[in-house]
Amino acid sequence: ETNAIIPESSGCLELREKHGIPRSAFVVGYGGNVGVASAVERVVSAFAELQDLGDIFLLIAGEGSRLEECRKQSAALGLTQVRFHTPWLPEETSDALGAADLLILPTQGEQALVSMPSKLIAYMLASRPILAVASENSELANTIRAAKCGWITPPADPAALARIIREIRTTWGAEAREKGRSGREYALERFTRDACLPRILELIEKAAGCYEH
């Protein structure tokens, strides 16, 4: 539903406060299943190289088979600016995604070449710029470029991921926020029920016409 994700929802700041994240902090957010395919551990590893930036936080919202490993990894690395929001309730979607300044969408290996992460649409509707960790020639990367809604960095390279997060943070401004708005507009035009239904009906009508002839 178009109205299921509300940008700048009233609960965004409350969720930050719940996890001890200052209002002025820069938050990189991940929302979704914390499983093998999501490669969230690599995001945690990247944050080990960003601790000198005292105002940057990582907020991981979700559950999954690798959640406990991510917790242990964060603790072992002494990362004081990584937060976990779990369980993540459906009604908290707008708050959890909106609590971030930048949303990160990591993928494992060549995963993005054969599938499109379902969370991409939710990220776009949250009106936040997206950092996709994916192969340059993947459908995910192509969509990010077409929507002009973020950045792409190669998978399996936490050091490169840390560098681009640092660059995004240090150059953050109106251009970055515009990427978030562009992503929401793109999703509303192409991925919501209101946008898709006319196309589906058109295809059905064309198919019926072909059958009649």
Side-chain angles (χ1 to χ4, degrees):
E1 293 291 342
T2 301
N3 61 356
I5 298 177
I6 305 169
E8 312 302 337
S9 68
S10 59
C12 295
L13 290 178
E14 292 177 8
L15 193 139
R16 281 192 177 211
E17 291 172 359
K18 176 180 179 180
H19 292 287
I21 301 174
R23 292 192 176 197
S24 60
F26 183 83
V27 178
V28 179
Y30 172 85
N33 181 56
V34 187
V36 175
S38 63
V40 179
E41 291 105 317
R42 288 175 183 162
V43 182
V44 176
S45 293
F47 257 73
E49 301 184 34
L50 297 170
Q51 292 304 286
D52 59 300
L53 299 176
D55 70 337
I56 190 169
F57 284 76
L58 173 63
L59 175 63
I60 298 170
E63 300 177 81
S65 61
R66 303 298 294 173
L67 176 61
E68 189 57 32
E69 185 60 33
C70 286
R71 287 185 186 274
K72 291 178 180 178
Q73 180 186 12
S74 177
L77 292 171
L79 305 184
T80 60
Q81 288 152 236
V82 177
R83 302 287 189 271
F84 296 90
H85 182 71
T86 185
W88 173 21
L89 304 178
E91 59 268 26
E92 295 176 318
T93 297
S94 294
D95 299 341
L97 298 182
D101 297 287
L102 171 70
L103 290 170
I104 191 164
L105 208 171
T107 57
Q108 180 77 276
E110 299 300 309
Q111 174 204 356
L113 291 175
V114 296
S115 64
M116 178 74 78
S118 58
K119 66 176 69 66
L120 175 62
I121 298 175
Y123 275 21
M124 285 180 159
L125 290 173
S127 196
R128 293 293 187 268
I130 300 166
L131 174 56
V133 184
S135 299
E136 281 285 341
N137 58 341
S138 65
E139 188 61 28
L140 171 57
N142 290 337
T143 302
I144 295 292
R145 284 190 288 263
K148 299 178 181 178
C149 67
W151 302 264
I152 302 145
T153 191
D157 192 346
L161 177 56
R163 285 195 297 272
I164 193 168
I165 292 174
R166 183 182 294 274
E167 180 180 346
I168 291 169
R169 175 66 190 106
T170 54
T171 60
W172 188 260
E175 184 178 347
R177 288 187 285 271
E178 179 57 33
K179 291 180 186 292
R181 289 188 288 270
S182 179
R184 180 173 173 84
E185 290 172 4
Y186 189 92
L188 289 174
E189 289 173 1
R190 291 167 174 78
F191 300 140
T192 61
R193 184 178 64 182
D194 291 344
C196 293
L197 185 57
R199 298 179 190 178
I200 293 171
L201 292 175
E202 182 182 357
L203 290 173
I204 292 172
E205 289 172 359
K206 286 181 178 179
C210 291
Y211 180 78
E212 288 172 0
H213 288 89

